[in-house]
Amino acid sequence: MKIGIFGTGYVGLVTAAGFAEVGHEVICVDNNPALVQQLKDGQIPIHEPGLAESLKKSTESGNISFTTHPIIAIDFASVLFITVGTPAQADGSANLSYMNDVANTIGTVITGHKTIVVKSTVPVGTSRRIADIINLAITSRNTDATICVVSNPEFLKEGEALSDFRKPDRIIVGSTDANSIAVIKKLYESFSRNHEKIVLMTQESAELTKYASNAMLATRISFMNELSKISEKLGADIEDVRRGIGSDRRIGPDFLYAGAGFGGSCFPKDLAAISTMAKDAGVETPIIDAVQLINIQQKEILIRKASSYLGDLSGLTCAVWGLAFKPNTDDTRESPALQLVYSLMNSGAYVRAYDPIVKQIKNDGGHSKLTICANRLDAILGADVLFLATEWNEFKNVDFKHMGRVMKQKVIVDGRNLWNPVLCRSFGFKYIGIGRS
Ligand code: NAD
């Protein structure tokens, strides 16, 4: 089938790669000319395992191309995906201006019949409003073009995005239009070979399902962070508790890790959006509000723990391992690690940071206190404390003996409970974890 995709960010590129791999032809549109040029030159601007290889193969075979001209994709495709950003606004609501721009563009040039698929995460009712915007533009042009808008939210996890797209747990499709449902089923046929993955519902239910899913996952994390405080006070170990409850099949093991809080481009903004959406509809959201509040507090926990042991951090050298909001991605949006770095610098500490993929971060204050190091050992040279902020694989096995020799003070704040406290202590380290004594 012929597909057009608006927005070549994380979701757009992964969607393009995933569909092209199974033989669909894809034209990607982005209104950022520099980004499109980069993609045309074969440079993939984001780090996502397997993505560069997949896109290279499909661009070489002619299954994917990139353009800044919407009309090229609109004329070419029978199905148009919208995968532009929906960032949070100051009041927590989703900014739909990028969505609206794409809808206007489609309505202005569309001919014939197209299925429009909203893949971005959008507030309930948006898919219908997108249809209204496009239809208004069509009517004002006096053409006989027709559209049907389907909601098809995306559930990929950054760091595993392409494998999630290739093997989805489910494909949520919000539509009651039989023709559009048939088009979407055909499009996703290759992903449902083992068993039917499509879960059909209305547009409103599909839109809410996306928010509900992220809210549920975030709730598990904040719940564990709350439990970690109880564990610390009562002498339990949150890691034992996690294994204990995660092995209950009714609960399951995922998203039960206590740590420095959740970040990324989705959870924080989607929680803010669902809470705003609910309140606008007259529904209070005490659980979702608590999840957000716990997370805001949790993002300060590492610096608080370090200060309560080391005292004033001003003038100390703090090593930070990990900057991305989670492993296997270069995404630092809302990353707890970045918040830690900025808080440390604001406290007067010198920061030596290392991440396997992230090699620069925004340094608005132009702080001379920040050094981005080339490797993990360089970062801990002369450090008074090491913060483990992101659990990249290369941090799992480390030489504590050597680390103890090159650090000034042997203090570890393990923000992801990655290391064995007994082992760390056996090398003379002061070990401070989350929810474990
Ligand atoms: P992103 O910011 O990485 O990419 C968005 C892209 O859209 C940018 O390249 C931007 O230039 C482009 N764009 C903006 N306006 C445009 C226009 N008028 N025409 C063409 N291109 C335009 O965003 P993302 O992380 O891919 O997220 C996209 C959506 O998917 C969001 O709603 C997000 O919540 C949702 N989502 C994201 C993830 C994730 O892990 N990143 C997972 C599931 C869902």
Side-chain angles (χ1 to χ4, degrees), residues 13 75 118 150 193 221 228 290 315 330 342 382:
L13 286 178
D75 279 351
V118 175
V150 175
R193 291 197 64 178
I221 296 171
S228 73
D330 58 349
Y342 297 135

Side-chain angles (χ1 to χ4, degrees), residues 6-12 29-32 35 83-86 98 101-102 119-121 154-158 210 265-266 269-270 331 333:
F6 284 83
T8 57
Y10 286 84
V11 172
V29 189
D30 203 288
N31 63 353
N32 177 343
L35 177 59
T83 61
V84 296
T86 50
Y98 306 105
D101 284 351
V102 174
K119 211 171 219 338
S120 299
T121 303
E154 180 52 58
F155 294 90
L156 60 80
K157 300 184 288 298
E158 283 181 21
K210 172 64 196 178
S265 66
C266 292
K269 93 166 163 60
D270 290 350
D331 201 343
R333 290 178 280 188

Side-chain angles (χ1 to χ4, degrees), residues 78-385:
S78 58
V79 185
L80 296 170
F81 277 81
I82 309 181
T83 61
V84 296
T86 50
Q89 308 191 94
D91 66 354
S93 64
N95 177 350
L96 296 177
S97 60
Y98 306 105
M99 296 290 303
N100 297 343
D101 284 351
V102 174
N104 268 315
T105 305
I106 293 173
T108 310
V109 294
I110 185 180
T111 54
H113 180 80
K114 312 276 176 190
T115 304
I116 316 290
V117 186
V118 175
K119 211 171 219 338
S120 299
T121 303
V122 291
V124 176
T126 304
S127 299
R128 285 193 198 279
R129 280 195 286 278
I130 292 299
D132 291 343
I133 294 172
I134 300 173
N135 280 324
L136 194 68
I138 291 174
T139 312
S140 69
R141 282 166 54 222
N142 243 337
T143 64
D144 57 0
T146 53
I147 53 140
C148 201
V149 177
V150 175
S151 166
N152 171 221
E154 180 52 58
F155 294 90
L156 60 80
K157 300 184 288 298
E158 283 181 21
E160 296 169 53
L162 197 53
S163 65
D164 284 347
F165 194 91
R166 288 169 179 151
K167 289 189 175 162
D169 290 340
R170 71 323 203 179
I171 300 161
I172 300 291
V173 176
S175 175
T176 46
D177 176 73
N179 283 337
S180 307
I181 293 169
V183 168
I184 298 293
K185 280 195 167 166
K186 182 101 195 91
L187 198 58
Y188 279 109
E189 207 169 32
S190 323
F191 303 94
S192 282
R193 291 197 64 178
N194 178 268
H195 65 274
E196 183 55 83
K197 301 276 180 71
I198 289 183
V199 183
L200 271 178
M201 56 186 74
T202 63
Q203 288 166 308
E204 287 75 12
S205 299
E207 288 164 338
L208 186 57
T209 298
K210 172 64 196 178
Y211 285 106
S213 177
N214 277 355
M216 171 65 90
L217 296 173
T219 300
R220 286 168 70 98
I221 296 171
S222 279
F223 174 75
M224 290 307 285
N225 283 332
E226 183 167 292
L227 268 188
S228 73
K229 292 192 182 118
I230 304 174
S231 289
E232 264 169 35
K233 285 283 178 209
L234 301 184
D237 186 324
I238 193 67
E239 288 303 303
D240 291 338
V241 178
R242 176 180 65 75
R243 280 189 289 272
I245 63 173
S247 52
D248 182 331
R249 263 183 296 160
R250 294 169 303 175
I251 296 172
D254 296 333
F255 285 82
L256 289 182
Y257 290 83
F262 56 78
S265 66
C266 292
F267 284 11
K269 93 166 163 60
D270 290 350
L271 261 71
I274 189 174
S275 151
T276 311
M277 194 188 331
K279 287 186 178 83
D280 287 348
V283 181
E284 290 303 314
T285 54
I287 294 179
I288 292 167
D289 297 347
V291 169
Q292 294 180 92
L293 184 65
I294 290 169
N295 197 54
I296 288 167
Q297 293 165 349
Q298 200 69 15
K299 281 181 159 184
E300 285 294 320
I301 194 126
L302 302 190
I303 190 164
R304 268 194 275 123
K305 278 174 178 280
S307 304
S308 68
Y309 179 70
L310 289 164
D312 185 2
L313 298 178
S314 178
L316 296 191
T317 298
C318 301
V320 176
W321 280 3
L323 292 167
F325 85 94
K326 65 174 178 177
N328 299 322
T329 179
D330 58 349
D331 201 343
T332 56
R333 290 178 280 188
E334 304 271 347
S335 171
L338 284 205
Q339 183 159 334
L340 169 68
V341 167
Y342 297 135
S343 299
L344 287 170
M345 290 193 295
N346 289 337
S347 310
Y350 293 91
V351 177
R352 297 180 64 77
Y354 166 71
D355 185 282
I357 294 291
V358 181
K359 297 298 172 198
Q360 60 180 38
I361 59 170
K362 231 161 104 187
N363 189 3
D364 283 344
H367 280 288
S368 54
K369 292 193 166 70
L370 174 65
T371 309
I372 303 280
C373 299
N375 59 57
R376 61 187 191 187
L377 284 181
D378 188 21
I380 58 170
L381 281 183
D384 293 282
V385 50

